Amino acid sequence: MVIDGAQMFVRYAYPPNSRGSCGPPDSDALLHYGQSGVTDPGLRELAKGFAGAFPYLELIAGAHGIHDPLDARVVEAYWVGNSLLDTVGISTMGNSMEDRFRARTGRQFPHLVEGVLAGGVPHHSFHVFEIYPWLGLLRDDRRYATALIVLDRCRIRWGEVLAITGDEAVVKSRPLTWDGTSLAVGEPVVETARYAVNGTGFIAGLAAGDVVSLHWDWVCDRLTPHQLQQLKLFTGRHLKIANSGVEHRGAAIALER
């Protein structure tokens, strides 16, 4: 089933929003929009309230002359990945980072843009691995376990549905690992993720064998083979930058204020 970009945005944005970590405070409204499949001006206003994600959508759309930041191509590019990302341009990306973060990071801003200069593009995994402070906390013995969980759950990951039980799916996925030096995608594990509330979710007919995307503890969407390839590609790209492409790990530590 083909859905519009605003509905796709809901599927990926709701999981952190339901935890109170991103976007407007009324997560129930976002859930109801996703359950109903209705797209209206109210949903578009809610989407603008995601101060982390929405500027990336505006960046991608603007770089390609696309009027609507919630165009499905733009939304897919940010959350999953597609060909729009590699044609944004390093100057456009860098200027966007400067507009958003220089005032907040001050003299540490050059550290933040190292990820852009190393080839970072406006994909959600860039924001997770190169902007959030958690990467730098992996070297803190007291906080690395929490940092690893946040990095793993906040990125968009992929998995295969093994079974459906009520509002939950049993999924085989590959979590991030940390060996004290580098992040990597580890061996498959079995986890449980929600895909509905009281029997109503975002994805109709979810079944064993479906390949899906996940964000925090939610199933976001089915992935086509091409989407799976793109998600793996851009995740791997930004993991490589995080591991060896920047001098200052967790360069956005100033954003933790």
Side-chain angles (χ1 to χ4, degrees):
M1 179 180 177
V2 178
I3 60 170
D4 65 40
Q7 287 296 320
M8 187 186 301
F9 183 83
V10 170
R11 294 184 178 188
Y12 287 93
Y14 173 72
N17 188 237
S18 69
R19 299 169 57 88
S21 57
C22 296
D26 190 1
S27 63
D28 284 345
L30 203 65
L31 173 64
H32 294 156
Y33 272 116
Q35 289 176 321
S36 68
V38 171
T39 296
D40 63 14
L43 174 54
R44 292 179 173 276
E45 284 302 310
L46 282 175
K48 292 177 183 178
F50 284 81
F54 201 78
Y56 286 109
L57 302 185
E58 293 179 312
L59 167 62
I60 298 166
H64 295 90
I66 298 173
H67 175 70
D68 183 9
L70 290 173
D71 183 290
R73 296 167 294 173
V74 173
V75 177
E76 179 189 58
Y78 176 66
W79 293 114
V80 179
N82 63 33
S83 61
L84 294 183
L85 296 180
D86 278 320
T87 52
V88 167
I90 191 170
S91 296
T92 302
M93 181 75 168
N95 290 339
S96 175
M97 295 299 100
E98 180 159 9
D99 290 344
R100 294 179 65 183
F101 300 123
R102 179 178 282 280
R104 297 173 62 186
T105 57
R107 288 179 295 178
Q108 292 197 40
F109 178 74
H111 300 174
L112 185 150
V113 296
E114 287 176 2
V116 178
L117 298 176
V121 293
H123 186 263
H124 184 63
S125 61
F126 169 84
H127 195 71
V128 173
F129 297 134
E130 273 71 67
I131 299 298
Y132 280 172
W134 296 102
L135 183 71
L137 301 180
L138 287 172
R139 295 185 179 275
D140 185 329
D141 290 340
R142 298 168 301 173
R143 297 196 278 183
Y144 89 89
T146 297
L148 182 60
I149 290 171
V150 173
L151 287 167
D152 184 53
R153 301 286 104 174
C154 187
R155 72 183 175 113
I156 307 303
R157 59 200 193 280
W158 56 89
E160 179 185 353
V161 176
L162 302 178
I164 301 295
T165 305
D167 287 345
E168 296 181 331
V170 179
V171 182
K172 181 171 66 176
S173 65
R174 299 179 62 187
L176 291 179
T177 61
W178 169 251
D179 64 5
T181 302
S182 298
L183 281 170
V185 177
E187 294 301 314
V189 300
V190 175
E191 64 172 299
T192 300
R194 301 187 71 181
Y195 78 96
V197 174
N198 297 324
T200 304
F202 305 149
I203 312 170
L206 191 66
D210 286 344
V211 176
V212 296
S213 52
L214 302 109
H215 197 188
W216 288 97
D217 57 347
W218 268 80
V219 174
C220 299
D221 206 354
R222 289 187 185 86
L223 293 175
T224 66
H226 181 68
Q227 286 177 322
L228 176 62
Q229 178 190 46
Q230 292 292 293
L231 181 56
K232 289 181 176 180
L233 174 69
F234 286 103
T235 299
R237 178 177 186 156
H238 293 117
L239 276 175
K240 183 178 180 180
I241 293 171
N243 286 329
S244 60
V246 295
E247 179 182 356
H248 301 87
R249 286 175 172 270
I253 193 68
L255 299 184
E256 197 183 16
R257 289 195 290 250

